[in-house]
Amino acid sequence: MKYISTRGGVAPKSFEDVILTGLAPDGGLFVPDQLPQFSHSEISSWQNLSYEELALKVISPFVDDEIPQSDLKQLIEKSYSTFRHSEIAPLVKTGENEWILELFHGPTLAFKDFALQFLGNLLDYTLEKRQQKVVIMGATSGDTGSAAIEGCRRCNNIDIFILHPYQRVSDVQRRQMTTVQADNIHNIALHGNFDDCQNMVKASFADQSFLPDGRQLVAVNSINWARIMAQIVYYFWASLRLGGPDQAISFSVPTGNFGDIFAGYLASKMGLPIKQLVIATNQNDILHRCISENDHTTRPLEQSLAPSMDIMISSNFERLLFDLYDKDGKAIVDLMTDAKAGHMRLCETVLTKARQLFSSYRCDDKEMVELIRDTFRDHDYLLDPHTAIGLAAARECRADLQTPMVALATAHPAKFPDAVKQAGYPSDPELPSHMENLFEREERFTILDNDQLAVQSFISDNITA
Ligand SMILES: *Cc1c(COP(=O)(O)O)cnc(C)c1O
């Protein structure tokens, strides 16, 4: 399998080359030049596979012969052995033909563990084989950082530097990152906001001359193809539990950077019968405006109670557009120039095509808090704020009651006590037992000014691997 850039300006690359980098050199994102296709009968035959066995089926064609099957199988098994539920991604019924897919049983309690446990193992395997060492640099508003640190803490060939905005992530989120004690883990609290962190990372990827010879930066946010790939699996998994592929299924996905829902789109293109994909946004609703009114105008970012979806420009949307525009890299360059300037309009035929599968809904903090309250009262089930937004959108956009609707639960409620308490929950929601003593563990992080030279010298001085 070869990978190409969404902006059409790069020679095709191998799977391993693609996961060991960030953006393509032309500024685009890597995508497979052709998607694997699974027939109805092939998908049917996967009914009784374990999550890990299913993952091997779905992921193998993307990796091709670059990693031997037996090694890939081991990497997958290792990645999901850290999950604390025997089904890895269990379904919970919350209404008539309505289900929640719990994706928060990994080590850091968010769906990002699905991809980052795997990516950490995959990188370490590849680097070991190549006798190469790399530096991971990433910015986080909370969930990505801890999932990446958990995924890479045991990797011998990786130093990982995660920037979070000083005093602007929740205590649980910060402690999940800063209490991991390993010499290759480096937490930087930057004086600034998330955008400052993100810009620092972008500038560093663009000019990597501050790194020692032979080192390169690797991205762990969802521009890394391996993250999207790993997330395709649970769409197949949920469908197979609910009568698929004979029965089409719908999904509602709380959306920020468009990675998670893009994986659902790929599942559909690969042959999984999906009726609807619902894009659920909070008050930062640019994707909802784009799908519903063809209005992709940037507005100032608002802080919400679902902070992992407080994003204005969703990087993976470019991957969808590339596909909808029939892989026309030049069209994407133009669209992205418009988007960057603040206003992008899609061509109507493309929008019509998108709407055959996608619908969208915006759920603000108030509506989200009410749904957490009602769901706890009526079903004794505590939703996290992101999941609540997905569930609200599922109910609003649902085309019919015959098609099972699956709302993706992207985080455990204990990660977001503020929203949960506003919904009337009497205390901080309880952390699972493996994190009970989180608040007693020793923290380690370095506070730095929002200064490129300071951050980059810190990195080059602290590389250990
Ligand atoms: C990252 C995240 C999201 C958004 O996922 P994208 O792939 O960026 O769309 C939603 N909910 C939670 C809890 C997250 O951590």
Side-chain angles (χ1 to χ4, degrees):
M1 174 97 45
K2 287 289 174 198
Y3 291 82
I4 54 174
S5 163
T6 51
R7 302 200 185 171
V10 179
K13 285 218 183 313
S14 70
F15 174 75
E16 289 189 349
D17 283 339
V18 160
I19 61 164
L20 281 173
T21 180
L23 289 175
D26 62 357
L29 284 81
F30 284 111
V31 286
D33 66 348
Q34 234 179 343
L35 280 177
Q37 298 294 317
F38 302 126
S39 70
H40 194 93
S41 59
E42 189 172 11
I43 300 172
S44 288
S45 74
W46 296 344
Q47 210 89 50
N48 296 318
L49 299 185
S50 67
Y51 189 90
E52 292 88 337
E53 289 165 338
L54 180 66
L56 186 63
K57 297 279 185 200
V58 173
I59 290 173
S60 288
F62 289 106
V63 179
D64 251 355
D65 49 3
E66 288 183 55
I67 299 176
Q69 281 281 303
S70 54
D71 291 356
L72 186 60
K73 181 166 178 282
Q74 274 183 14
L75 290 174
I76 290 171
E77 281 167 2
K78 189 172 167 197
S79 302
Y80 298 104
S81 67
T82 54
F83 280 57
R84 287 176 172 76
H85 196 289
S86 58
E87 282 174 63
I88 311 294
L91 283 159
V92 176
K93 194 163 195 255
T94 48
E96 189 186 342
N97 238 341
E98 181 194 89
W99 308 79
I100 297 245
L101 180 64
E102 291 187 343
L103 299 175
F104 52 71
H105 295 286
T108 70
L109 313 181
F111 82 95
K112 293 186 169 74
D113 289 325
F114 275 83
L116 283 162
Q117 286 291 301
F118 181 59
L119 180 60
N121 290 323
L122 191 62
L123 289 175
D124 208 34
Y125 171 88
T126 308
L127 294 168
E128 199 64 46
K129 190 167 71 179
R130 294 185 168 198
Q131 291 288 300
Q132 190 184 346
K133 293 180 188 297
V134 297
V135 175
I136 284 175
M137 184 178 182
T140 188
S141 56
D143 295 335
T144 302
S146 57
I149 287 171
E150 276 299 331
C152 300
R153 61 192 291 183
R154 291 184 190 85
C155 301
N156 297 322
N157 300 303
I158 300 174
D159 271 286
I160 175 163
F161 294 84
I162 296 292
L163 283 70
H164 71 265
Y166 182 49
Q167 292 183 332
R168 292 191 201 207
V169 298
S170 81
D171 288 349
V172 173
Q173 288 180 318
R174 190 193 64 250
R175 288 183 158 271
Q176 280 187 309
M177 298 189 279
T178 58
T179 58
V180 176
Q181 305 289 347
D183 290 343
N184 64 332
I185 306 289
H186 316 273
N187 279 286
I188 298 173
L190 196 77
H191 278 292
N193 60 26
F194 172 67
D195 282 337
D196 297 324
C197 296
Q198 187 74 45
N199 289 337
M200 185 70 72
V201 171
K202 276 191 184 152
S204 304
F205 269 83
D207 179 0
Q208 304 188 10
S209 55
F210 66 97
L211 293 173
D213 275 354
R215 299 290 164 112
Q216 69 191 49
L217 292 180
V218 172
V220 284
N221 59 359
S222 53
I223 65 172
N224 192 313
W225 167 253
R227 281 195 52 184
I228 307 292
M229 180 183 75
Q231 290 169 194
I232 301 171
V233 178
Y234 49 69
Y235 288 89
F236 280 89
W237 172 258
S239 163
L240 285 162
R241 305 276 85 65
L242 295 173
D246 297 329
Q247 164 73 59
I249 313 285
S250 295
F251 292 93
S252 179
V253 188
T255 301
N257 233 339
F258 207 78
D260 204 2
I261 194 163
F262 183 65
Y265 174 77
L266 295 179
S268 145
K269 297 273 294 189
M270 288 160 68
L272 187 70
I274 296 183
K275 177 146 188 179
Q276 280 185 287
L277 284 174
V278 180
I279 300 169
T281 77
N282 62 20
Q283 48 265 53
N284 297 298
D285 62 352
I286 188 164
L287 289 172
H288 167 58
R289 282 185 281 118
C290 182
I291 294 295
S292 60
E293 307 161 39
N294 201 2
D295 171 23
H296 193 281
T297 311
T298 45
R299 293 187 187 154
L301 201 66
E302 283 181 40
Q303 287 220 339
S304 80
L305 289 170
S308 302
M309 296 158 68
D310 288 346
I311 286 173
M312 191 48 64
I313 299 290
S314 300
S315 41
N316 285 290
F317 200 50
E318 176 169 342
R319 285 186 161 125
L320 175 69
L321 294 178
F322 182 64
D323 201 63
L324 293 174
Y325 277 81
D326 297 324
K327 306 191 174 176
D328 179 353
K330 217 185 138 303
I332 301 305
V333 171
D334 292 343
L335 284 167
M336 290 304 128
T337 308
D338 292 348
K340 205 170 175 189
H343 182 70
M344 171 175 78
R345 271 185 76 83
L346 305 185
C347 115
E348 284 296 332
T349 49
V350 161
L351 198 57
T352 307
K353 196 155 72 170
R355 284 177 182 152
Q356 285 166 9
L357 188 60
F358 290 102
S359 37
S360 67
Y361 183 65
R362 165 199 207 266
C363 173
D364 64 16
D365 279 352
K366 182 166 170 290
E367 183 182 355
M368 177 268 287
V369 165
E370 277 165 18
L371 187 60
I372 295 179
R373 182 191 305 122
D374 295 351
T375 308
F376 188 66
R377 186 192 57 214
D378 301 341
H379 297 277
D380 200 24
Y381 188 87
L382 194 58
L383 296 164
D384 112 282
H386 308 80
T387 307
I389 288 172
L391 188 60
R395 290 180 179 169
E396 192 64 32
C397 296
R398 208 169 162 174
D400 63 67
L401 285 178
Q402 286 72 51
T403 311
M405 171 59 87
V406 176
L408 271 50
T410 50
H412 189 286
K415 284 194 105 165
F416 300 98
D418 286 354
V420 171
K421 281 195 284 194
Q422 282 198 26
Y425 194 75
S427 60
D428 276 355
E430 229 176 284
L431 286 163
S433 55
H434 75 281
M435 282 174 49
E436 249 168 14
N437 66 353
L438 185 66
F439 282 83
E440 282 111 61
R441 296 184 201 163
E442 189 194 333
E443 286 194 83
R444 199 166 70 178
F445 61 95
T446 306
I447 304 166
L448 293 177
D449 282 336
N450 181 15
D451 171 56
Q452 193 163 322
L453 205 61
V455 171
Q456 295 184 344
S457 351
F458 178 81
I459 292 178
S460 57
D461 290 348
N462 283 282
I463 289 174
T464 58

